[in-house]
Amino acid sequence: MPYYSSFPKKSFDTKIDGIVKNLKAAKKSDVSTNLREYAIAASIFLSHAETENYLMDVVDSLAQTLATTLPNSSKLPLNLKSHLLVAGLNLPYVSQLMSQKDELKTLSSINKWFSTPSVCFFDESKALMSLTGKQIYINKKYPSLSNIEVVMARLGINKMSDQLNKVAKKDIVSLYESFGDLRTDLAHNASLPNSSCDDIIKNLSDLKQFVACIDKILFSNYSKIIGVSNWKTKLC
């Protein structure tokens, strides 16, 4: 089956290409060292921001497509159903009530959830309500590898790192983490990387491949759920 790149991935590529163009301009001999270093630092921050934008956009597009194309929750991945249940029930609060041995309040809290529209994610007799990407990623939108693995698991895609390396046919995960370390050093230590413009351009090439692998894995899994035609019309 041919793979169809999502619109969020195409938009991501365009933004990264623009960053690369600026880095190439910063390589020119008439550009001062200070400006070149600022260009490198900005490129690291901006590319991570664009990675976050891609993840938010593609998850939101998937969520909306699921809600508008599936008649009920029967085809939703079990992990996604479980995540929506945990999020909807506010389990930390329920656990607190249970620890206090207040069964009446515990049952009352759970009963309230059954009267909300979210019950459609489990009751296959009901039509799906609207679903947003924020309901899926919640507080996991920052594009660390651990957050990406959590969000993908919520979408029913387990062992994401292994799948990424398999699709890339190399250790793309380690390359992504190494590039993330540059951003962390900049953000927390104000430490400019000992990297040239060419080094960062290579990092950005690897980053594009990393995102492309995510997109391919999502397509492989969700084209089976929503259909290839819906992927092409709703996400491309």
Side-chain angles (χ1 to χ4, degrees), residues 33-45:
T33 300
N34 285 342
L35 284 178
R36 187 175 297 113
E37 288 179 343
Y38 276 113
I40 288 172
S43 298
I44 293 170
F45 279 122

Side-chain angles (χ1 to χ4, degrees), residues 4-196:
Y4 298 95
S5 175
S6 71
F7 178 77
K9 191 262 182 183
K10 293 173 184 174
S11 177
F12 172 83
D13 285 347
T14 299
K15 296 295 179 59
I16 297 301
D17 288 344
I19 295 173
V20 169
K21 182 179 179 180
N22 290 333
L23 279 170
K24 288 180 177 179
K27 288 172 54 179
K28 295 179 179 179
S29 58
D30 59 342
V31 175
S32 70
T33 300
N34 285 342
L35 284 178
R36 187 175 297 113
E37 288 179 343
Y38 276 113
I40 288 172
S43 298
I44 293 170
F45 279 122
L46 288 172
S47 59
H48 276 85
E50 292 302 340
T51 305
E52 181 175 321
N53 288 339
Y54 162 76
L55 291 167
M56 292 171 62
D57 290 347
V58 76
V59 172
D60 196 50
S61 295
L62 270 178
Q64 292 181 41
T65 302
L66 288 170
T68 57
T69 61
L70 298 183
N72 55 47
S73 64
S74 61
K75 287 188 175 182
L76 289 181
L78 185 58
N79 275 16
L80 181 54
K81 291 182 181 182
S82 298
H83 163 67
L84 293 170
L85 173 63
V86 169
L89 282 176
N90 190 5
L91 283 188
Y93 175 65
V94 172
S95 297
Q96 180 183 354
L97 293 176
M98 292 176 68
S99 67
Q100 296 170 355
K101 298 182 179 180
D102 195 331
E103 184 171 336
L104 184 60
K105 282 188 177 180
T106 301
L107 294 176
S108 176
S109 177
I110 295 173
N111 289 341
K112 287 179 181 178
W113 180 84
F114 279 105
S115 64
T116 68
S118 295
V119 75
C120 71
F121 297 127
F122 307 90
D123 186 346
E124 295 180 8
S125 69
K126 299 182 181 296
L128 284 181
M129 59 172 279
S130 62
L131 179 63
T132 67
K134 190 174 182 179
Q135 289 173 269
I136 298 173
Y137 55 74
I138 307 180
N139 62 343
K140 299 290 184 179
K141 66 178 185 176
Y142 176 74
S144 66
L145 181 64
S146 59
N147 280 353
I148 291 172
E149 289 179 327
V150 167
V151 173
M152 293 301 139
R154 290 173 180 175
L155 288 168
I157 304 171
N158 298 319
K159 298 182 178 179
M160 187 63 175
S161 290
D162 291 342
Q163 293 198 47
L164 287 166
N165 287 339
K166 183 178 180 180
V167 172
K169 298 180 179 179
K170 66 181 183 183
D171 193 355
I172 195 71
V173 169
S174 292
L175 292 171
Y176 180 73
E177 288 188 295
S178 295
F179 189 48
D181 290 342
L182 295 181
R183 190 266 179 204
T184 300
D185 285 341
L186 271 172
H188 299 289
N189 302 318
S191 175
L192 288 169
N194 186 23
S195 302
S196 67

